[in-house]
Amino acid sequence: MNYEQAVESIWRHAEGGVTNDAARLKELVRYATLAPSGHNTQCWRFRVADGAIGILPDLSRRTPVVDPDDHHLYVSLGCAAENLSLAARAFGMTGEVTFRPEGDGELLITLDSCRAEAAPLFEAIPARQCTRTDYDGSSLAGEELRLLEAAGTGRGVAVTLLTEREALEKVLEYVVQGNSLQVNNPAFRHELEDWIRFGDREAVEAGDGLSARVMGNPPTPRWLGRWLFRALFRERAENARVARQIRSSAGIAVFVSDADDRAHWVEAGRCYQRFALQATVLGIRNAFVNQPVEEAGVRPAFAKALGLSGGRPDLVVRFGRGKAMPRSLRRPIESVLIPPGPS
Ligand SMILES: Cc1cc2nc3c(=O)[nH]c(=O)nc-3n(C[C@H](O)[C@H](O)[C@H](O)COP(=O)(O)O)c2cc1C
């Protein structure tokens, strides 16, 4: 299978043949896996139980350098849960999400029967992407901003949309600070390189990670891609790129949790996912610029500069209008399903 064929098989709605319960449950899991995850690690596993699906963390897919407290990992589970919940409702199931904190934590999504409701956010699931490119600099209408804010707000999680140029420049200062620390950190570079799939063949075989294409680069053999990455991933070039990207955006969304715990991180993921799907419905692109919240040394000053007191700034996301980028890949459903144990 080549890259384009893989993309076509992944980014689609359910096709005919979802006629029995087993096929329906598998489809729900497939929709969940279309969610974003940090470095596209797809750090989730799914347990199909009676009347519910559980989402568990896959801790073998942690990224301890960029995400030492597993914050992004639990945010990613929240994104997957939101997709699963929307898909459940479209298939006529309740799709209520609860977080069980015991052990490593589990998100349970209920599947009791109810009236089917295919919401616009559900329809947008296969079209959503993180778009890592310059946008066109145009601003958004007040109504578009209102819809994005409503979609991104949840229980104990607020989203602030910054659109004034001065505010964007302030955020950029902290993104550059965090970016410089990351680009100059050998452990960060090593972890990132580990998740880059330089060639099309390795990207399709792995079905995870960051393909050269989604980063806006041509695919290359692994040896050449690694050589280019090591030579070209440099502070000045990366800071210039991020400055261009932010200055071409219509605005920046900052998601903030009331409390700094896993339940709130999951909720932040659900809020981001609704925001991203709502943006997709409106034809608006988005991409993360999380450097100031990922670097623990920058985070407090960033929060202070934004006037936040208490809580945790979870995610920083730029948005605007622009062209689509190549799509990311996913692993087969079979590799994320926990086989049923002896009953
Ligand atoms: C919690 C979280 C943090 C992320 N942080 C970043 C980031 O800092 N920079 C970035 O370019 N992408 C970031 N991403 C985006 C992922 O790399 C992206 O979701 C993944 O590659 C899959 O691509 P897709 O969302 O287009 O399907 C993040 C995603 C999540 C869920």
Side-chain angles (χ1 to χ4, degrees), residues 98-118:
T98 41
F99 177 67
R100 289 187 166 174
E102 298 81 27
D104 295 327
E106 176 173 12
L107 282 80
L108 262 196
I109 295 97
T110 59
L111 302 177
D112 301 318
S113 303
C114 68
R115 224 184 65 204
E117 181 209 346

Side-chain angles (χ1 to χ4, degrees), residues 39-314:
H39 286 3
N40 197 20
T41 57
Q42 301 161 38
C43 46
W44 39 59
R45 294 180 309 143
F46 296 85
R47 192 173 62 84
V48 178
D50 247 4
I53 293 180
I55 308 181
L56 295 117
D58 181 347
L59 297 177
S60 70
R61 293 178 165 264
R62 297 180 67 227
T63 49
V65 180
V66 70
D67 188 27
D69 58 2
D70 293 329
H71 168 275
H72 283 3
L73 187 145
Y74 285 94
V75 168
S76 305
L77 299 189
C79 297
E82 190 60 28
N83 270 14
L84 210 161
S85 172
L86 287 163
R89 274 178 277 150
F91 281 61
M93 291 173 254
T94 43
E96 263 162 44
V97 183
T98 41
F99 177 67
R100 289 187 166 174
E102 298 81 27
D104 295 327
E106 176 173 12
L107 282 80
L108 262 196
I109 295 97
T110 59
L111 302 177
D112 301 318
S113 303
C114 68
R115 224 184 65 204
E117 181 209 346
L121 298 195
F122 165 75
E123 297 295 345
I125 290 176
R128 182 212 58 82
Q129 65 166 202
C130 289
T131 311
R132 294 181 186 82
T133 185
D134 295 357
Y135 300 154
D136 70 6
S138 62
S139 38
L140 302 193
E143 178 59 8
E144 291 173 318
L145 293 169
R146 198 192 60 73
L147 287 167
L148 290 176
E149 189 179 347
T153 303
R155 247 180 279 156
V157 177
V159 64
T160 302
L161 303 187
L162 306 169
T163 53
E164 299 292 328
R165 289 294 122 188
E166 211 179 302
L168 265 58
E169 288 298 320
K170 175 81 30 213
V171 172
L172 175 59
E173 255 175 57
Y174 291 93
V175 172
V176 163
Q177 263 186 46
N179 203 45
S180 294
L181 289 170
Q182 292 183 335
V183 173
N184 291 318
N185 176 356
F188 177 91
R189 297 174 68 94
H190 189 264
E191 184 177 81
L192 177 60
E193 189 183 296
D194 251 11
W195 285 100
I196 299 179
R197 311 289 174 239
F198 293 100
D200 277 354
R201 185 130 56 98
E202 67 168 311
V204 172
E205 269 171 23
D208 64 8
L210 302 160
S211 65
R213 288 173 185 252
V214 301
M215 319 267 283
N217 298 321
T220 58
R222 183 162 183 83
W223 66 267
L224 176 60
R226 275 174 54 175
W227 185 82
L228 287 169
F229 174 76
R230 289 174 190 183
L232 301 178
F233 188 63
R234 295 272 172 239
E235 181 178 358
R236 184 138 38 122
E238 290 307 309
N239 283 343
R241 184 212 304 262
V242 88
R244 227 182 35 239
Q245 291 179 337
I246 287 182
R247 290 183 177 137
S248 72
S249 300
I252 288 187
V254 184
F255 292 78
V256 182
S257 290
D258 284 352
D260 194 10
D261 58 29
R262 291 183 306 182
H264 282 82
W265 304 343
V266 164
E267 181 66 16
R270 295 188 64 191
C271 290
Y272 165 70
Q273 187 63 6
R274 285 195 304 273
F275 170 95
L277 292 171
Q278 178 65 69
T280 307
V281 169
L282 296 168
I284 295 162
R285 309 275 172 205
N286 82 94
F288 291 94
V289 276
N290 276 329
Q291 293 90 332
V293 292
E294 288 170 346
E295 286 298 312
V298 179
R299 199 159 60 227
F302 175 67
K304 198 164 163 216
L306 292 186
L308 307 173
S309 56
R312 172 167 178 158
D314 293 288

